[in-house]
Short mmCIF file of all heavy atoms in Angstrom, two decimals:
data_model
loop_
_atom_site.label_atom_id
_atom_site.label_comp_id
_atom_site.label_asym_id
_atom_site.label_seq_id
_atom_site.Cartn_x
_atom_site.Cartn_y
_atom_site.Cartn_z
N GLU H 1 -14.39 17.13 -102.33
CA GLU H 1 -15.35 17.91 -103.05
C GLU H 1 -15.39 19.41 -102.52
O GLU H 1 -15.18 19.68 -101.36
CB GLU H 1 -16.87 17.38 -102.79
CG GLU H 1 -17.01 15.96 -103.36
CD GLU H 1 -18.43 15.41 -103.29
OE1 GLU H 1 -19.19 15.96 -102.37
OE2 GLU H 1 -18.70 14.54 -104.08
N TRP H 2 -15.64 20.23 -103.52
CA TRP H 2 -15.68 21.73 -103.28
C TRP H 2 -17.04 22.31 -103.70
O TRP H 2 -17.40 22.15 -104.91
CB TRP H 2 -14.57 22.39 -104.05
CG TRP H 2 -14.25 23.79 -103.51
CD1 TRP H 2 -14.89 24.96 -103.93
CD2 TRP H 2 -13.31 24.16 -102.64
NE1 TRP H 2 -14.45 26.04 -103.28
CE2 TRP H 2 -13.36 25.63 -102.43
CE3 TRP H 2 -12.33 23.44 -101.83
CZ2 TRP H 2 -12.50 26.26 -101.50
CZ3 TRP H 2 -11.60 24.12 -100.95
CH2 TRP H 2 -11.66 25.57 -100.86
N PRO H 3 -17.81 22.83 -102.81
CA PRO H 3 -19.08 23.35 -103.22
C PRO H 3 -19.09 24.47 -104.20
O PRO H 3 -18.22 25.33 -104.03
CB PRO H 3 -19.75 23.81 -101.87
CG PRO H 3 -18.95 23.10 -100.85
CD PRO H 3 -17.58 22.94 -101.41
N MET H 4 -19.97 24.45 -105.20
CA MET H 4 -19.94 25.45 -106.18
C MET H 4 -21.31 26.12 -106.40
O MET H 4 -21.48 26.92 -107.41
CB MET H 4 -19.49 24.86 -107.56
CG MET H 4 -18.11 24.18 -107.58
SD MET H 4 -16.79 25.42 -107.31
CE MET H 4 -16.82 26.27 -108.87
N GLY H 5 -22.28 25.75 -105.61
CA GLY H 5 -23.63 26.32 -105.64
C GLY H 5 -23.63 27.79 -105.25
O GLY H 5 -22.68 28.31 -104.63
N THR H 6 -24.66 28.41 -105.60
CA THR H 6 -24.86 29.90 -105.17
C THR H 6 -26.22 30.11 -104.52
O THR H 6 -27.10 29.29 -104.54
CB THR H 6 -24.86 30.80 -106.51
OG1 THR H 6 -25.86 30.35 -107.39
CG2 THR H 6 -23.43 30.68 -107.22
N GLY H 7 -26.33 31.25 -103.86
CA GLY H 7 -27.50 31.64 -103.18
C GLY H 7 -27.58 31.34 -101.65
O GLY H 7 -28.45 31.80 -100.97
N GLY H 8 -26.51 30.76 -101.09
CA GLY H 8 -26.42 30.53 -99.68
C GLY H 8 -27.30 29.32 -99.26
O GLY H 8 -28.11 28.81 -100.09
N GLY H 9 -27.15 28.96 -97.96
CA GLY H 9 -27.94 27.85 -97.42
C GLY H 9 -27.65 26.56 -98.20
O GLY H 9 -26.51 26.33 -98.71
N GLU H 10 -28.62 25.74 -98.28
CA GLU H 10 -28.44 24.42 -98.95
C GLU H 10 -28.12 24.48 -100.37
O GLU H 10 -27.60 23.68 -101.01
CB GLU H 10 -29.70 23.54 -98.70
CG GLU H 10 -29.90 23.02 -97.27
CD GLU H 10 -28.66 22.21 -96.83
OE1 GLU H 10 -28.26 21.26 -97.59
OE2 GLU H 10 -28.17 22.44 -95.71
N ALA H 11 -28.52 25.71 -101.06
CA ALA H 11 -28.22 25.90 -102.44
C ALA H 11 -26.77 25.85 -102.69
O ALA H 11 -26.32 25.48 -103.87
CB ALA H 11 -28.91 27.18 -102.89
N GLU H 12 -25.88 26.22 -101.70
CA GLU H 12 -24.49 26.22 -101.93
C GLU H 12 -23.92 24.78 -102.21
O GLU H 12 -22.92 24.66 -102.90
CB GLU H 12 -23.83 26.84 -100.67
CG GLU H 12 -22.32 27.04 -100.87
CD GLU H 12 -21.72 27.67 -99.63
OE1 GLU H 12 -22.40 27.88 -98.65
OE2 GLU H 12 -20.53 28.00 -99.80
N TYR H 13 -24.69 23.80 -101.66
CA TYR H 13 -24.20 22.39 -101.80
C TYR H 13 -24.92 21.63 -102.91
O TYR H 13 -24.79 20.38 -102.95
CB TYR H 13 -24.42 21.74 -100.45
CG TYR H 13 -23.82 22.54 -99.27
CD1 TYR H 13 -24.64 23.16 -98.38
CD2 TYR H 13 -22.45 22.60 -99.11
CE1 TYR H 13 -24.09 23.87 -97.33
CE2 TYR H 13 -21.89 23.37 -98.12
CZ TYR H 13 -22.70 24.03 -97.24
OH TYR H 13 -22.11 24.81 -96.20
N ALA H 14 -25.60 22.35 -103.82
CA ALA H 14 -26.33 21.70 -104.88
C ALA H 14 -25.42 21.26 -105.97
O ALA H 14 -25.65 20.27 -106.71
CB ALA H 14 -27.39 22.60 -105.42
N ILE H 15 -24.26 21.93 -106.14
CA ILE H 15 -23.27 21.62 -107.15
C ILE H 15 -22.00 21.43 -106.46
O ILE H 15 -21.61 22.27 -105.70
CB ILE H 15 -23.25 22.67 -108.15
CG1 ILE H 15 -24.66 22.86 -108.79
CG2 ILE H 15 -22.23 22.31 -109.34
CD1 ILE H 15 -24.75 24.15 -109.80
N PHE H 16 -21.17 20.39 -106.86
CA PHE H 16 -19.88 20.18 -106.34
C PHE H 16 -18.82 20.15 -107.49
O PHE H 16 -19.14 19.60 -108.55
CB PHE H 16 -19.82 18.88 -105.50
CG PHE H 16 -20.50 19.01 -104.16
CD1 PHE H 16 -21.86 18.65 -103.98
CD2 PHE H 16 -19.78 19.45 -103.08
CE1 PHE H 16 -22.45 18.67 -102.80
CE2 PHE H 16 -20.30 19.49 -101.82
CZ PHE H 16 -21.69 19.16 -101.67
N GLN H 17 -17.64 20.65 -107.19
CA GLN H 17 -16.53 20.40 -108.03
C GLN H 17 -15.88 19.12 -107.49
O GLN H 17 -15.45 19.12 -106.32
CB GLN H 17 -15.60 21.57 -108.01
CG GLN H 17 -14.31 21.43 -108.97
CD GLN H 17 -13.38 22.64 -108.82
OE1 GLN H 17 -12.83 22.81 -107.81
NE2 GLN H 17 -13.30 23.41 -109.86
N SER H 18 -15.70 18.12 -108.37
CA SER H 18 -15.20 16.83 -107.89
C SER H 18 -13.67 16.75 -107.94
O SER H 18 -13.00 17.20 -108.86
CB SER H 18 -15.73 15.74 -108.75
OG SER H 18 -15.11 14.52 -108.41
N HIS H 19 -13.05 16.19 -106.81
CA HIS H 19 -11.62 15.90 -106.82
C HIS H 19 -11.35 14.45 -106.48
O HIS H 19 -10.39 14.10 -105.85
CB HIS H 19 -10.99 16.83 -105.83
CG HIS H 19 -11.09 18.31 -106.15
ND1 HIS H 19 -10.24 18.98 -106.98
CD2 HIS H 19 -12.04 19.23 -105.73
CE1 HIS H 19 -10.59 20.17 -107.12
NE2 HIS H 19 -11.63 20.43 -106.46
N TRP H 20 -12.29 13.59 -106.94
CA TRP H 20 -12.25 12.15 -106.62
C TRP H 20 -11.17 11.52 -107.54
O TRP H 20 -10.98 11.95 -108.71
CB TRP H 20 -13.53 11.48 -106.85
CG TRP H 20 -14.61 11.78 -105.82
CD1 TRP H 20 -15.19 12.94 -105.59
CD2 TRP H 20 -15.11 10.87 -104.91
NE1 TRP H 20 -16.04 12.85 -104.57
CE2 TRP H 20 -16.04 11.57 -104.14
CE3 TRP H 20 -14.84 9.47 -104.60
CZ2 TRP H 20 -16.75 10.98 -103.11
CZ3 TRP H 20 -15.64 8.91 -103.62
CH2 TRP H 20 -16.46 9.62 -102.81
N PRO H 21 -10.46 10.54 -107.11
CA PRO H 21 -9.59 9.77 -108.07
C PRO H 21 -10.32 9.14 -109.14
O PRO H 21 -11.59 8.79 -109.05
CB PRO H 21 -8.93 8.67 -107.08
CG PRO H 21 -9.09 9.30 -105.72
CD PRO H 21 -10.39 10.05 -105.74
N ARG H 22 -9.69 8.89 -110.34
CA ARG H 22 -10.36 8.41 -111.50
C ARG H 22 -10.89 6.99 -111.34
O ARG H 22 -11.73 6.58 -112.03
CB ARG H 22 -9.43 8.59 -112.68
CG ARG H 22 -8.06 7.90 -112.51
CD ARG H 22 -7.24 8.02 -113.80
NE ARG H 22 -5.88 7.70 -113.57
CZ ARG H 22 -5.44 6.47 -113.70
NH1 ARG H 22 -6.28 5.50 -114.07
NH2 ARG H 22 -4.18 6.17 -113.49
N ASP H 23 -10.34 6.26 -110.41
CA ASP H 23 -10.74 4.79 -110.31
C ASP H 23 -11.74 4.63 -109.16
O ASP H 23 -11.95 3.55 -108.67
CB ASP H 23 -9.66 3.94 -110.16
CG ASP H 23 -8.77 4.14 -108.86
OD1 ASP H 23 -8.99 5.30 -108.21
OD2 ASP H 23 -7.97 3.20 -108.43
N MET H 24 -12.39 5.70 -108.68
CA MET H 24 -13.39 5.66 -107.65
C MET H 24 -14.68 6.22 -108.13
O MET H 24 -14.75 7.03 -109.02
CB MET H 24 -12.95 6.45 -106.41
CG MET H 24 -11.74 5.84 -105.70
SD MET H 24 -11.18 6.75 -104.25
CE MET H 24 -12.60 6.45 -103.15
N VAL H 25 -15.74 5.68 -107.58
CA VAL H 25 -17.14 6.14 -107.98
C VAL H 25 -17.48 7.47 -107.22
O VAL H 25 -17.34 7.49 -105.94
CB VAL H 25 -18.17 5.10 -107.67
CG1 VAL H 25 -19.57 5.67 -108.01
CG2 VAL H 25 -17.85 3.88 -108.52
N VAL H 26 -17.68 8.59 -107.90
CA VAL H 26 -17.94 9.89 -107.26
C VAL H 26 -19.09 9.72 -106.37
O VAL H 26 -20.18 9.21 -106.61
CB VAL H 26 -18.17 10.89 -108.37
CG1 VAL H 26 -18.53 12.24 -107.63
CG2 VAL H 26 -16.92 11.13 -109.14
N ARG H 27 -19.00 10.23 -105.11
CA ARG H 27 -20.04 10.33 -104.07
C ARG H 27 -20.41 8.97 -103.53
O ARG H 27 -21.45 8.81 -102.90
CB ARG H 27 -21.21 11.02 -104.56
CG ARG H 27 -20.95 12.44 -105.24
CD ARG H 27 -22.02 13.49 -104.79
NE ARG H 27 -21.60 14.12 -103.52
CZ ARG H 27 -22.50 14.71 -102.69
NH1 ARG H 27 -23.72 14.72 -103.00
NH2 ARG H 27 -22.07 15.22 -101.60
N ASP H 28 -19.49 8.03 -103.67
CA ASP H 28 -19.73 6.69 -103.09
C ASP H 28 -19.11 6.70 -101.70
O ASP H 28 -18.00 6.26 -101.46
CB ASP H 28 -18.99 5.65 -103.98
CG ASP H 28 -19.09 4.26 -103.45
OD1 ASP H 28 -19.99 3.96 -102.60
OD2 ASP H 28 -18.18 3.51 -103.68
N TRP H 29 -19.89 7.15 -100.71
CA TRP H 29 -19.46 7.47 -99.33
C TRP H 29 -19.43 6.30 -98.43
O TRP H 29 -18.74 6.36 -97.39
CB TRP H 29 -20.21 8.60 -98.73
CG TRP H 29 -20.15 9.90 -99.52
CD1 TRP H 29 -21.21 10.46 -100.20
CD2 TRP H 29 -19.07 10.79 -99.55
NE1 TRP H 29 -20.87 11.65 -100.66
CE2 TRP H 29 -19.47 11.92 -100.28
CE3 TRP H 29 -17.82 10.79 -99.01
CZ2 TRP H 29 -18.69 13.04 -100.59
CZ3 TRP H 29 -16.94 11.92 -99.33
CH2 TRP H 29 -17.48 12.93 -100.04
N GLU H 30 -20.06 5.17 -98.69
CA GLU H 30 -20.36 4.13 -97.71
C GLU H 30 -19.94 2.77 -98.15
O GLU H 30 -19.96 1.89 -97.31
CB GLU H 30 -21.82 4.18 -97.40
CG GLU H 30 -22.30 5.41 -96.58
CD GLU H 30 -21.66 5.51 -95.20
OE1 GLU H 30 -21.26 4.54 -94.63
OE2 GLU H 30 -21.64 6.62 -94.61
N SER H 31 -19.47 2.62 -99.41
CA SER H 31 -19.18 1.20 -99.87
C SER H 31 -17.84 0.70 -99.15
O SER H 31 -17.08 1.48 -98.64
CB SER H 31 -18.92 1.19 -101.37
OG SER H 31 -17.76 1.83 -101.74
N GLU H 32 -17.73 -0.64 -99.22
CA GLU H 32 -16.49 -1.28 -98.68
C GLU H 32 -15.29 -0.75 -99.46
O GLU H 32 -14.22 -0.61 -98.89
CB GLU H 32 -16.64 -2.78 -98.78
CG GLU H 32 -17.65 -3.37 -97.81
CD GLU H 32 -17.35 -2.96 -96.35
OE1 GLU H 32 -16.16 -3.07 -95.98
OE2 GLU H 32 -18.24 -2.54 -95.65
N LYS H 33 -15.46 -0.57 -100.78
CA LYS H 33 -14.27 -0.14 -101.53
C LYS H 33 -13.83 1.29 -101.08
O LYS H 33 -12.60 1.53 -100.90
CB LYS H 33 -14.59 0.03 -102.96
CG LYS H 33 -13.53 0.47 -103.91
CD LYS H 33 -13.89 0.45 -105.40
CE LYS H 33 -12.72 1.00 -106.28
NZ LYS H 33 -13.17 1.08 -107.74
N PHE H 34 -14.88 2.15 -100.78
CA PHE H 34 -14.47 3.45 -100.32
C PHE H 34 -13.82 3.39 -98.96
O PHE H 34 -12.81 4.09 -98.72
CB PHE H 34 -15.70 4.38 -100.21
CG PHE H 34 -15.39 5.70 -99.66
CD1 PHE H 34 -14.78 6.72 -100.41
CD2 PHE H 34 -15.84 6.03 -98.39
CE1 PHE H 34 -14.48 7.90 -99.90
CE2 PHE H 34 -15.52 7.33 -97.86
CZ PHE H 34 -14.92 8.24 -98.55
N LYS H 35 -14.37 2.61 -98.09
CA LYS H 35 -13.73 2.48 -96.73
C LYS H 35 -12.32 1.98 -96.81
O LYS H 35 -11.44 2.52 -96.08
CB LYS H 35 -14.55 1.45 -95.88
CG LYS H 35 -15.97 1.95 -95.51
CD LYS H 35 -16.78 0.89 -94.84
CE LYS H 35 -18.22 1.33 -94.78
NZ LYS H 35 -19.12 0.25 -94.25
N ASN H 36 -12.07 1.01 -97.70
CA ASN H 36 -10.66 0.50 -97.89
C ASN H 36 -9.75 1.60 -98.47
O ASN H 36 -8.62 1.69 -98.01
CB ASN H 36 -10.62 -0.68 -98.83
CG ASN H 36 -11.29 -1.91 -98.11
OD1 ASN H 36 -11.36 -2.02 -96.89
ND2 ASN H 36 -11.81 -2.82 -98.93
N ARG H 37 -10.23 2.39 -99.39
CA ARG H 37 -9.42 3.44 -99.99
C ARG H 37 -9.23 4.58 -98.98
O ARG H 37 -8.11 5.21 -98.94
CB ARG H 37 -10.08 3.95 -101.27
CG ARG H 37 -10.07 3.02 -102.44
CD ARG H 37 -8.57 2.80 -102.94
NE ARG H 37 -8.05 3.97 -103.47
CZ ARG H 37 -8.25 4.41 -104.82
NH1 ARG H 37 -9.11 3.65 -105.59
NH2 ARG H 37 -7.78 5.50 -105.20
N LEU H 38 -10.22 4.82 -98.14
CA LEU H 38 -10.12 5.78 -97.12
C LEU H 38 -9.00 5.53 -96.16
O LEU H 38 -8.23 6.34 -95.87
CB LEU H 38 -11.40 5.93 -96.45
CG LEU H 38 -11.58 7.07 -95.33
CD1 LEU H 38 -11.45 8.43 -95.99
CD2 LEU H 38 -12.91 6.98 -94.73
N ALA H 39 -9.02 4.25 -95.66
CA ALA H 39 -7.94 3.78 -94.74
C ALA H 39 -6.58 3.86 -95.45
O ALA H 39 -5.60 4.13 -94.88
CB ALA H 39 -8.26 2.41 -94.22
N GLY H 40 -6.66 3.46 -96.73
CA GLY H 40 -5.30 3.43 -97.49
C GLY H 40 -4.69 4.77 -97.70
O GLY H 40 -3.55 4.96 -97.53
N ILE H 41 -5.51 5.76 -98.05
CA ILE H 41 -4.96 7.14 -98.34
C ILE H 41 -4.44 7.71 -96.97
O ILE H 41 -3.37 8.46 -97.00
CB ILE H 41 -5.92 8.09 -98.93
CG1 ILE H 41 -5.29 9.33 -99.40
CG2 ILE H 41 -7.16 8.45 -98.02
CD1 ILE H 41 -4.15 9.15 -100.47
N ILE H 42 -5.17 7.41 -95.90
CA ILE H 42 -4.61 8.02 -94.62
C ILE H 42 -3.38 7.31 -94.23
O ILE H 42 -2.38 7.96 -93.75
CB ILE H 42 -5.73 7.72 -93.54
CG1 ILE H 42 -6.95 8.47 -93.74
CG2 ILE H 42 -5.15 8.01 -92.11
CD1 ILE H 42 -8.17 8.06 -92.94
N GLN H 43 -3.21 6.07 -94.52
CA GLN H 43 -1.90 5.34 -94.31
C GLN H 43 -0.81 5.97 -95.16
O GLN H 43 0.36 6.17 -94.60
CB GLN H 43 -2.05 3.85 -94.53
CG GLN H 43 -0.82 3.01 -94.19
CD GLN H 43 -0.98 1.51 -94.52
OE1 GLN H 43 -1.84 1.18 -95.31
NE2 GLN H 43 -0.23 0.70 -93.78
N LYS H 44 -1.09 6.27 -96.38
CA LYS H 44 -0.10 6.91 -97.27
C LYS H 44 0.29 8.27 -96.81
O LYS H 44 1.41 8.72 -96.84
CB LYS H 44 -0.56 6.96 -98.65
CG LYS H 44 -0.77 5.55 -99.35
CD LYS H 44 -1.26 5.72 -100.78
CE LYS H 44 -1.43 4.31 -101.34
NZ LYS H 44 -2.04 4.43 -102.68
N MET H 45 -0.76 9.08 -96.30
CA MET H 45 -0.45 10.38 -95.72
C MET H 45 0.51 10.32 -94.58
O MET H 45 1.44 11.13 -94.42
CB MET H 45 -1.79 11.02 -95.33
CG MET H 45 -2.71 11.41 -96.44
SD MET H 45 -4.39 11.74 -95.86
CE MET H 45 -4.17 13.07 -94.69
N GLY H 46 0.24 9.33 -93.71
CA GLY H 46 1.14 9.17 -92.52
C GLY H 46 2.62 8.75 -92.90
O GLY H 46 3.53 9.36 -92.42
N ALA H 47 2.67 7.90 -93.91
CA ALA H 47 4.03 7.54 -94.36
C ALA H 47 4.74 8.73 -95.00
O ALA H 47 5.98 8.75 -94.85
CB ALA H 47 3.90 6.30 -95.40
N ALA H 48 4.02 9.54 -95.68
CA ALA H 48 4.61 10.66 -96.38
C ALA H 48 4.92 11.89 -95.43
O ALA H 48 5.84 12.54 -95.60
CB ALA H 48 3.81 11.06 -97.63
#
């Protein structure tokens, strides 16, 4: 995610530009699916 809000402070984080994969739920930070994908992308990063 890339913050797109204006005004400084917390207002900067009111709007985000999303860079989530299309098969994931945006802002799903704690689910088991997210944890598995998180570990998976790190493993791919290491392999590459």
Side-chain angles (χ1 to χ4, degrees):
E1 296 186 340
W2 196 274
M4 299 296 289
T6 58
E10 289 300 312
E12 184 174 10
Y13 309 107
I15 304 172
F16 285 93
Q17 183 182 66
S18 173
H19 298 277
W20 288 69
R22 57 184 167 83
D23 64 343
M24 295 177 69
V25 178
V26 175
R27 311 222 83 203
D28 174 27
W29 298 108
E30 294 289 340
S31 71
E32 289 303 314
K33 180 179 179 181
F34 177 73
K35 294 172 188 174
N36 292 333
R37 288 293 293 276
L38 185 63
I41 190 62
I42 295 169
Q43 184 178 24
K44 291 177 183 178
M45 289 164 58

